[in-house]
Amino acid sequence: MDDTKDPKAAKKAAAKGGAYDGFTDDERAAMKEHAQELKATRTGKRRTKADAEAAVLEKIAEMPDEDRVIAERLHTLIKENAPELTPKLWYGMPAYAKNGKVLCFVQAAAKFKSRYLTLGFDDSARLDDGTLWPTAFAVTELTAAHEKTIAALVRKAAG
């Protein structure tokens, strides 16, 4: 088995003295996607908000069905509860930014071979609650209660 395909196997190989340069193939691919995103903005190929949203929807459409359904609903929830956020791709993931800074993102389970889709918030989201608070949530299904919680988090993050 190629250890660069599986993050856990790669780290185990490194612990046993095997070759591991610090990044898996998936991590390298994400960095390459991010470099392409940055290059597009630097070379005058800035996307309009509609173009950026189309790119996000295209990325969501590429997800496996289980993640795609959740990501589509998250996209709608985010747009409904924080219309001022701009959809964009961030390391090849759907993300939502305020004043150019990513506030939240959706990471498909397949992105890094995780067990679940993740809704994450960057530190600019200011979800601070005392001295300990979550910044990412595993999402395996969306109930009405989950949607209400996510809507509140998105509004707070964008506020």
Side-chain angles (χ1 to χ4, degrees):
M1 175 182 196
D2 181 359
D3 288 337
T4 61
K5 303 278 187 216
D6 177 21
K8 290 179 185 175
K11 289 175 185 173
K12 284 180 185 176
K16 293 179 182 177
Y20 176 62
D21 67 359
F23 296 105
T24 65
D25 288 346
D26 293 332
E27 291 166 335
R28 277 191 207 88
M31 288 185 289
K32 285 179 183 176
E33 285 181 292
H34 188 58
Q36 290 171 343
E37 294 157 10
L38 292 174
K39 184 178 178 183
T41 60
R42 284 191 205 119
T43 59
K45 295 180 184 175
R46 291 187 183 258
R47 295 179 170 193
T48 65
K49 189 171 181 175
D51 290 340
E53 183 168 5
V56 165
L57 291 172
E58 184 178 317
K59 188 58 76 170
I60 290 171
E62 293 171 3
M63 293 179 183
D65 290 344
E66 189 174 290
D67 285 349
R68 182 187 44 75
V69 170
I70 294 170
E72 286 171 346
R73 185 63 188 134
L74 288 172
H75 177 77
T76 301
L77 281 169
I78 292 165
K79 285 187 48 102
E80 288 173 353
N81 289 280
E84 68 275 20
L85 297 184
T86 303
K88 67 183 281 180
L89 291 178
W90 184 62
Y91 291 94
M93 295 178 283
Y96 304 85
K98 183 175 183 178
N99 300 324
K101 182 135 176 85
V102 169
L103 229 61
C104 61
F105 60 92
V106 178
Q107 179 183 301
K111 183 74 176 173
F112 297 111
K113 297 177 181 67
S114 179
R115 291 186 308 129
Y116 42 75
L117 175 139
T118 303
L119 172 63
F121 292 88
D122 192 62
D123 64 342
S124 63
R126 303 220 182 266
L127 294 175
D128 308 35
D129 184 17
T131 58
L132 178 73
W133 60 90
T135 59
F137 299 84
V139 184
T140 58
E141 73 173 285
L142 285 174
T143 65
H146 297 142
E147 289 185 8
K148 186 176 178 180
T149 299
I150 290 167
L153 285 168
V154 168
R155 284 192 301 272
K156 183 176 180 181

